[in-house]
Amino acid sequence: MTTTTPGTAQVELAIGGMTCASCAARIEKKLNRMDGVEATVNYATEKAKVTFSADIPVADLIATVEATGYTAAEPEPPKSETPGASGGGPTDEEKADEELRPLKQRLVTAVALAVPVIAMAMVPALQIEYWQWLSLTLAAPVVTYAAWPFHRAAWTNAKHGAATMDTLISVGTIAAFLWSLWALFFGTAGTPGMTHPFEFTIARTDGAGNIYLEAAAGVTAFILAGRYFEARSKRKAGAALKALMQLGAKEVTVLKDGREVTVPTAELQVGDRFLVRPGEKIATDGTVVEGSSAVDASMLTGESVPVEVGVGDAVTGATLNAGGRLVVEATRVGSDTQLARMAKLVEDAQNGKAAAQRLADRISAVFVPIVIALSLGTLGFWLGTGQGLTAAFTAAVAVLIIACPCALGLATPTALMVGTGRGAQLGILIKGPEVLETTRKVDTIVLDKTGTVTTGRMTLLKVHTAAGTDETDVLRLAGALEHSSEHPIAQAVATGAAAKVGTLPTPEDFANIPGLGVQGVVDGHAVLVGREKLLEEWAMSLPASLKAAKDAAEKAGKTAIAVAWDGEARAVLEVADAIKETSAEAIRRLKGLGLTPILLTGDNKAVAEAVAAEVGIGEVIAEVMPQDKVDVVKKLQAEGRSVAMVGDGVNDAAALAQADLGLAMGTGTDAAIEVLGLRGRQQPPAARLPGRGQVTPDP
């Protein structure tokens, strides 16, 4: 529970027992009737976000939910996963499978038995002499055993004076089944050789010769299928948060009394000092107290260039130590860390409701009572006009069966499944059908820079050489030296050099100069590669042509690396996060669809504007912290825009969830992808955004 404004508090309740959107609407209505309470209930996440007066006990909120016929509890805080923590018990995945198993068994039973019942009812050639009795034998287990969850939920709701979609399904299937029993035993439907001819003519009958077993069995099977796949999707509701929390280090080496002790990250306390070796993740937010290194924070912040840190600098948990050895003092742990706050932002964004969802909730809350009232009204009308009890019941049951949510539960999802299936063929994986409804309204598309418009990898872009210096020599000597360094920029130089000159020689001597670069001996040459300051320490300066190239590169937001050997400055290398080859064309197509592109990034303004200019984006919002990206999206929405957000990093996860339409790149981190429930794959070049991901296809 958290305190918001003075005198108020906020809590999230885990709600159990909901089976459809109208359940969420009922709970929300009951909670909002309490004085000083404002609640939003999300059926998809099974959570209620409640803001209430501080003098109201949380137990009263839970009691109100329980009085409505559902369960409620304060959710347990997420547990940190550490190796061996399970103790041999069932995993979360196994528990979820165990919960799904009964539903799957009912679905398999329903489908296996309903298919022949439907086939016999629809194909006269299959209507053997006693086919109607065979249909009864097959349909009975479907309407009783397979449909039991609907009947149980309908009874529970009835005890609390409520009606939901489950009520309609239960009443509709039972009515169809009971009418069929009456027609078989007391009407003429049980006569051997009776058939249901497939005709296009309309003839009035009293219904005594008609059975509706195929409707009862078919609706049950189809609705069960929808519930099963919905349950499978809801299993992944917490995948984004789990992916976020798993980004952090699982274990950490703490320094205690001069000894190195490995402990689970969850045991870290504020003030503890811990060791971070090259290539390891920083366990939690803290301050460097010993050592210097380059920290790759692109996954978390979107900053493409690794940040040089030293004593006194702040570092963030889950970022990668790409260089030297660091000793860090923990300043924030657990729920106070930046990673945990980002996870909270994602959860808050997911728990919100779109306007369309609120409309659907309101409709579902009144749809069922109206249908039941119409059915009773039909019964009364036919009886009042003297049509006879049999005909009146036939008409009343017909209303229930027709209103039983076939269109809502079958036709619409089927049509949307076709759309999502076609998207998958194009490499566009869509989280859910509601995404298709949202897409047409989008007028603004916000793009992250790193990993979306750009490759997300530092790349050697250009080599500027001094007069009389051969580019191949520069790449061979600089690449050989940088190959021995773990720094991301050094690796970009080494990779680019190897691609152009082939095998690189092995340095005879190598040394890393923290914060400046590297030096060593390659093929008998004393080589320096790094900042201009490194050359100045050896009394070397860049000639005018290289100085101009360096200044121009840095002005464009690129990293400039000086190269010297044998006492003379020889070259300047340009390294940057390269723009994808398809980005400019993708932006042109998005503009052609009438969308306004905006580049949103945590990177510095110079880099962002240079990238935007190259791909044709006119509006740039740069140097934005991860938690502020959500605010940018909210601000655009407040201006009346319908916003699509495209991203691939953890820093984008909350904004993706907040946007009207979130698109996660297939190359992105699990947190960005899972927040949308997506898994990307390679796409045809004609139907993709830069690299891989989801796009609005050509019109």
Side-chain angles (χ1 to χ4, degrees):
M1 186 174 69
T2 58
T3 300
T4 52
T5 56
T8 67
Q10 193 175 85
V11 68
E12 277 188 353
L13 300 177
I15 307 296
M18 293 191 295
T19 55
C20 65
S22 58
C23 297
R26 284 187 58 233
I27 298 170
E28 190 172 297
K29 187 176 181 181
K30 288 284 188 181
L31 286 171
N32 285 324
R33 281 180 177 173
M34 298 176 67
D35 292 335
V37 174
E38 185 177 340
T40 299
V41 181
N42 193 307
Y43 169 57
T45 59
E46 296 185 327
K47 287 185 178 180
K49 186 174 182 179
V50 188
T51 303
F52 58 99
S53 299
D55 58 345
I56 299 176
V58 175
D60 287 359
L61 301 175
I62 294 175
T64 299
V65 175
E66 291 176 344
T68 314
Y70 305 90
T71 63
E74 289 190 69
E76 296 180 4
K79 297 178 181 178
S80 176
E81 294 187 10
T82 58
S86 64
T91 63
D92 291 342
E93 191 77 12
E94 290 170 343
K95 289 178 181 177
D97 289 340
E98 189 65 32
E99 292 173 1
L100 275 178
R101 189 169 291 116
L103 184 57
K104 185 177 181 180
Q105 290 171 346
R106 294 180 194 276
L107 172 61
V108 171
T109 301
V111 171
L113 299 179
V115 168
V117 173
I118 296 171
M120 285 187 287
M122 298 299 175
V123 183
L126 298 178
Q127 294 172 5
I128 58 178
E129 188 173 6
Y130 293 99
W131 73 274
Q132 67 270 49
W133 298 101
L134 177 59
S135 292
L136 175 63
T137 304
L138 295 174
V142 178
V143 178
T144 53
Y145 165 71
W148 177 246
F150 305 131
H151 305 323
R152 181 177 56 202
W155 175 245
T156 300
N157 289 322
K159 287 192 296 184
H160 291 86
T164 66
M165 284 294 182
D166 288 305
T167 306
L168 203 54
I169 296 166
S170 177
V171 171
T173 53
I174 289 176
F177 185 73
L178 292 179
W179 177 264
S180 299
L181 282 179
W182 185 92
L184 285 169
F185 285 98
F186 302 104
T188 59
T191 305
M194 183 276 291
T195 61
H196 274 177
F198 193 81
E199 298 176 345
F200 290 100
T201 58
I202 299 175
R204 176 174 291 184
T205 69
D206 64 0
N210 297 327
I211 59 174
Y212 301 103
L213 294 171
E214 77 284 356
V219 166
T220 299
F222 278 115
I223 301 296
L224 271 176
R227 289 285 172 88
Y228 174 71
F229 290 114
E230 181 182 53
R232 284 186 59 186
S233 298
K234 286 169 70 175
R235 256 177 54 183
K236 300 179 181 179
L241 304 179
K242 189 175 181 181
L244 277 170
M245 300 315 295
Q246 286 181 339
L247 287 172
K250 302 296 183 293
E251 293 184 325
V252 59
T253 303
V254 179
L255 301 178
K256 292 184 178 180
D257 302 324
R259 296 181 298 113
E260 297 181 4
V261 182
T262 301
V263 300
T265 303
E267 296 181 10
L268 265 180
Q269 302 292 326
V270 173
D272 284 351
R273 295 192 173 191
F274 58 92
L275 176 65
V276 189
R277 299 181 179 87
E280 290 183 345
K281 289 181 180 178
I282 297 173
T284 192
D285 298 356
T287 304
V288 178
V289 294
E290 184 181 320
S292 62
S293 180
V295 174
D296 182 359
S298 60
M299 181 174 59
L300 195 62
T301 66
E303 181 72 38
S304 56
V305 179
V307 181
E308 301 287 345
V309 297
V311 175
D313 290 332
V315 290
T316 305
T319 54
L320 184 68
N321 178 17
R325 177 182 183 274
L326 294 175
V327 175
V328 179
E329 182 175 311
T331 56
R332 289 195 296 259
V333 297
S335 59
D336 293 331
T337 64
Q338 182 174 335
L339 186 65
R341 290 201 298 270
M342 288 176 64
K344 179 63 176 171
L345 285 173
V346 171
E347 187 172 24
D348 289 345
Q350 285 184 329
N351 281 341
K353 283 189 181 182
Q357 185 179 346
R358 291 185 180 277
L359 177 61
D361 288 350
R362 289 199 297 271
I363 291 172
S364 65
V366 298
F367 179 70
V368 177
I370 288 174
V371 168
I372 293 175
L374 283 174
S375 178
L376 293 174
T378 302
L379 176 65
F381 174 80
W382 280 72
L383 287 174
T385 55
Q387 298 298 321
L389 187 61
T390 302
F393 268 97
T394 301
V397 170
V399 171
L400 285 175
I401 294 172
I402 291 170
C404 189
C406 295
L408 294 174
L410 306 178
T412 303
T414 300
L416 293 171
M417 280 170 61
V418 173
T420 55
R422 178 56 181 155
Q425 291 176 351
L426 297 173
I428 305 168
L429 303 187
I430 301 170
K431 175 191 176 183
E434 68 281 355
V435 173
L436 295 174
E437 298 176 344
T438 308
T439 304
R440 66 181 178 85
K441 302 176 184 177
V442 171
D443 53 32
T444 302
I445 184 160
V446 178
L447 301 110
D448 173 53
K449 180 184 74 68
T450 307
T452 302
V453 177
T454 65
T455 62
R457 301 184 307 274
M458 299 301 288
T459 305
L460 177 61
L461 300 179
K462 193 176 290 187
V463 179
H464 302 275
T465 58
T469 302
D470 184 66
E471 182 177 319
T472 302
D473 291 338
V474 174
L475 291 173
R476 185 170 55 83
L477 297 176
L481 204 58
E482 294 281 54
H483 185 65
S484 299
S485 172
E486 297 173 335
H487 198 289
I489 293 178
Q491 288 299 305
V493 173
T495 300
K500 292 186 177 181
V501 303
T503 305
L504 300 173
T506 302
E508 293 112 60
D509 186 34
F510 171 84
N512 179 55
I513 313 300
L516 293 178
V518 293
Q519 65 185 45
V521 178
V522 182
D523 288 348
H525 299 284
V527 184
L528 299 174
V529 183
R531 298 175 184 262
E532 184 180 7
K533 186 177 179 181
L534 178 62
L535 274 63
E536 291 173 352
E537 289 189 357
W538 288 82
M540 285 182 272
S541 59
L542 294 173
S545 61
L546 294 184
K547 180 70 173 175
K550 171 183 173 293
D551 292 343
E554 291 178 342
K555 188 176 181 181
K558 300 183 176 85
T559 299
I561 304 169
V563 181
W565 67 80
D566 296 342
E568 187 177 342
R570 309 279 184 165
V572 166
L573 309 179
E574 284 188 22
V575 175
D577 182 6
I579 295 172
K580 294 176 180 177
E581 295 178 0
T582 54
S583 290
E585 174 64 14
I587 298 302
R588 186 189 66 78
R589 291 190 184 189
L590 290 171
K591 286 181 176 179
L593 293 171
L595 301 177
T596 302
I598 298 174
L599 190 67
L600 176 64
T601 179
D603 219 335
N604 71 70
K605 192 172 183 179
V607 173
E609 290 180 343
V611 169
E614 190 166 341
V615 299
I617 298 177
E619 188 173 348
V620 177
I621 304 174
E623 300 177 7
V624 179
M625 294 299 290
Q627 58 269 29
D628 296 332
K629 287 191 174 185
V630 179
D631 296 332
V632 171
V633 172
K634 287 181 178 178
K635 182 181 177 182
L636 292 171
Q637 291 170 329
E639 294 172 0
R641 303 198 202 187
S642 182
V643 181
M645 171 75 192
V646 187
D648 80 320
V650 179
N651 58 311
D652 306 315
L656 285 168
Q658 174 63 38
D660 300 290
L661 177 65
L663 300 99
M665 305 297 291
T667 48
T669 62
D670 283 348
I673 293 172
E674 292 290 0
V675 76
L676 303 178
L678 304 173
R679 286 285 176 189
R681 64 175 176 84
Q682 184 61 50
Q683 303 172 55
R688 64 181 184 182
L689 273 173
R692 295 177 284 181
Q694 292 185 315
V695 296
T696 305
D698 288 334

